[in-house]
Amino acid sequence: MRVNNENYLSIWVDDNEQLKIINQLSLPHKFEVTILHNFEEVVASIKNMLVRGAGLIGVTAGYGMWMLTKEAPKNSIESFESYIENHADRLRLARPTASNLAWAVNRQINKIKSGSTIEEKINLARNEAITIAEEDRNACYQIGQYGLEILRNLSIAKPGKVINILTHCNAGWLAFVDYGTALSPIFLAHDEGIPVHVWVDETRPRNQGASLTAWELATHGVPHSLIVDNAGGHLMQHGMVDVVFTGADRVTLNGDVANKIGTYLKALAANDNNVPFYVAFPSSTIDFTLNNFKQIPIEERSGDEVRNIMGKLNNGDLAEVQICPDLTPARNWAFDVTPSHLITGLICEKGVCPPSKFGLQNIFPEQFNE
Ligand code: MRU
């Protein structure tokens, strides 16, 4: 995606083999590239949300595993591999809900095991990290194409009228390597001349909608309006939403979807108002081992994220302010689950399918071979 007339990915390795990310904590007020020098910094970048979003968390973990191979002791293959196994859990546990994290770590461990010398293992980990990133980028492009078809059809049904899309949190290119999932079709539709307008949920407590989705849309010139998280139902009741597109952090075999807290309420409102509700994600977000959404680990983050809010002061300085009484405690669940019966369709890199085991099996048959 283009920022200040330059093409960017959300994570990349530069010509000096340095791992670089766009620091999402600085957006939307400052565009800042940060170098991750070692495994510890990779873990911290995921935990503290310099990088975030299921796809990007997985890709960053892939690179983190490569760093780990470079830092592991080289005296014997046994000590090299046990160092990696022991440290891999630190990455896996950095954020518990997004499937992509453990998926990328496990994929790297298998790849590293397949090398016969330490040097080969390090090279394999480097190449696999790059492959994971490329796959993520390609998947998001394909998701964009499938979602675009949905927007084209909505536009045909409403000739000359603006298509209003509601989205929650940030499932744009910052949450992946490029393009994004929920936002990918919107960028493509806009580029193709389909008149679109996006209702952006601010997404309390960390405001990924206000700070990241709005920034991506503004940077790309896509018409959008920021709304409070509670406005969606009202807009749907008044015919002001044609479709909802969200991302996902973990999808079960039955097509239930864990996503940013508040997604479930949007799905309920969409269902009550016959507004189609689509969830877009790459296959790395599907947990092919889970039937029951109650087994999805839901991250609970610090209550301080609810008690305080960060913003720009009139003088341009950034500041955090407290919005509740000093003694009021807060709870902060980061995700909720939208059950499949509230979802119209799942948009993946292999196509759009019904939110069910049968639907997923149809587009990912290889995952269901006994
Ligand atoms: O806590 P985050 O910002 O990492 O969570 C990401 C989400 O839950 C988003 O809803 C996103 O849509 C999922 S797609 C990467």
Side-chain angles (χ1 to χ4, degrees), residues 138-159:
N138 294 337
C140 286
Y141 179 75
Q142 286 307 326
I143 287 166
Q145 294 295 337
Y146 287 116
L148 173 60
E149 209 45 48
I150 294 168
L151 294 178
R152 278 191 190 129
N153 288 335
L154 286 169
S155 183
I156 290 167
K158 256 181 92 174

Side-chain angles (χ1 to χ4, degrees), residues 276-351:
F277 187 100
Y278 287 94
V279 183
F281 53 88
S283 51
S284 47
T285 300
I286 307 169
D287 187 338
F288 288 99
T289 67
L290 270 197
N291 278 306
N292 182 349
F293 77 73
K294 298 220 165 110
Q295 294 168 312
I296 298 177
I298 299 292
E299 177 180 12
E300 186 172 354
R301 297 182 62 86
S302 163
D304 287 345
E305 293 183 350
V306 179
R307 290 169 39 83
N308 303 322
I309 195 161
M310 178 75 157
K312 187 162 77 169
L313 301 174
N314 287 340
N315 68 5
D317 290 349
L318 299 186
E320 190 171 76
V321 293
Q322 184 182 311
I323 60 167
C324 61
D326 287 349
L327 293 179
T328 297
R331 300 286 300 271
N332 183 14
W333 291 274
F335 302 93
D336 62 21
V337 176
T338 300
S340 59
H341 69 268
L342 297 176
I343 299 170
T344 309
L346 306 176
I347 310 173
C348 305
E349 70 269 30
K350 294 277 188 70

Side-chain angles (χ1 to χ4, degrees), residues 172-187:
W173 68 273
L174 290 167
F176 295 85
V177 172
D178 205 358
Y179 304 107
T181 51
L183 296 194
S184 182
I186 299 173
F187 291 131

Side-chain angles (χ1 to χ4, degrees), residues 60-351:
T60 308
Y63 282 116
M65 292 300 290
W66 169 42
M67 299 237 167
L68 203 50
T69 61
K70 292 195 287 182
E71 292 166 21
K74 311 281 184 298
N75 45 326
S76 73
I77 289 197
E78 290 68 35
S79 55
F80 176 85
E81 284 189 346
S82 70
Y83 182 94
I84 286 169
E85 289 278 356
N86 293 340
H87 285 72
D89 259 351
R90 306 252 337 277
L91 253 188
R92 281 197 194 93
L93 298 174
R95 298 211 48 206
T97 302
S99 292
N100 310 56
L101 179 52
W103 169 85
V105 171
N106 296 342
R107 182 167 158 170
Q108 279 286 39
I109 285 187
N110 289 335
K111 186 50 82 174
I112 291 162
K113 280 194 182 134
S114 74
S116 41
T117 63
I118 290 179
E119 200 190 345
E120 190 189 355
K121 287 172 189 288
I122 297 171
N123 281 333
L124 284 170
R126 180 188 184 280
N127 294 341
E128 193 69 356
I130 290 168
T131 304
I132 291 171
E134 279 169 359
E135 284 177 10
D136 182 89
R137 184 165 192 258
N138 294 337
C140 286
Y141 179 75
Q142 286 307 326
I143 287 166
Q145 294 295 337
Y146 287 116
L148 173 60
E149 209 45 48
I150 294 168
L151 294 178
R152 278 191 190 129
N153 288 335
L154 286 169
S155 183
I156 290 167
K158 256 181 92 174
K161 297 259 173 57
V162 173
I163 303 302
N164 284 294
I165 305 141
L166 185 141
T167 192
H168 191 67
C169 196
N170 172 259
W173 68 273
L174 290 167
F176 295 85
V177 172
D178 205 358
Y179 304 107
T181 51
L183 296 194
S184 182
I186 299 173
F187 291 131
L188 294 175
H190 172 77
D191 292 350
E192 178 170 296
I194 296 173
V196 290
H197 166 265
V198 186
W199 298 113
V200 180
D201 281 356
E202 57 179 345
T203 320
R204 282 280 290 146
R206 290 192 66 114
N207 292 322
Q208 289 95 329
S211 56
L212 304 175
T213 299
W215 180 80
E216 286 192 32
L217 294 171
T219 305
H220 201 81
V222 181
H224 63 285
S225 308
L226 183 64
I227 53 174
V228 295
D229 288 330
N230 298 326
H234 169 75
L235 298 181
M236 291 183 209
Q237 277 178 330
H238 288 79
M240 294 163 79
V241 180
D242 295 296
V243 65
V244 180
F245 279 171
T246 75
D249 291 271
R250 192 182 292 234
V251 177
T252 70
L253 273 183
N254 304 329
D256 301 326
V257 168
N259 194 49
K260 182 52 58 194
I261 193 87
T263 305
Y264 174 42
L265 293 178
K266 293 298 132 61
L268 283 171
N271 188 259
D272 197 41
N273 291 282
N274 293 319
V275 172
F277 187 100
Y278 287 94
V279 183
F281 53 88
S283 51
S284 47
T285 300
I286 307 169
D287 187 338
F288 288 99
T289 67
L290 270 197
N291 278 306
N292 182 349
F293 77 73
K294 298 220 165 110
Q295 294 168 312
I296 298 177
I298 299 292
E299 177 180 12
E300 186 172 354
R301 297 182 62 86
S302 163
D304 287 345
E305 293 183 350
V306 179
R307 290 169 39 83
N308 303 322
I309 195 161
M310 178 75 157
K312 187 162 77 169
L313 301 174
N314 287 340
N315 68 5
D317 290 349
L318 299 186
E320 190 171 76
V321 293
Q322 184 182 311
I323 60 167
C324 61
D326 287 349
L327 293 179
T328 297
R331 300 286 300 271
N332 183 14
W333 291 274
F335 302 93
D336 62 21
V337 176
T338 300
S340 59
H341 69 268
L342 297 176
I343 299 170
T344 309
L346 306 176
I347 310 173
C348 305
E349 70 269 30
K350 294 277 188 70

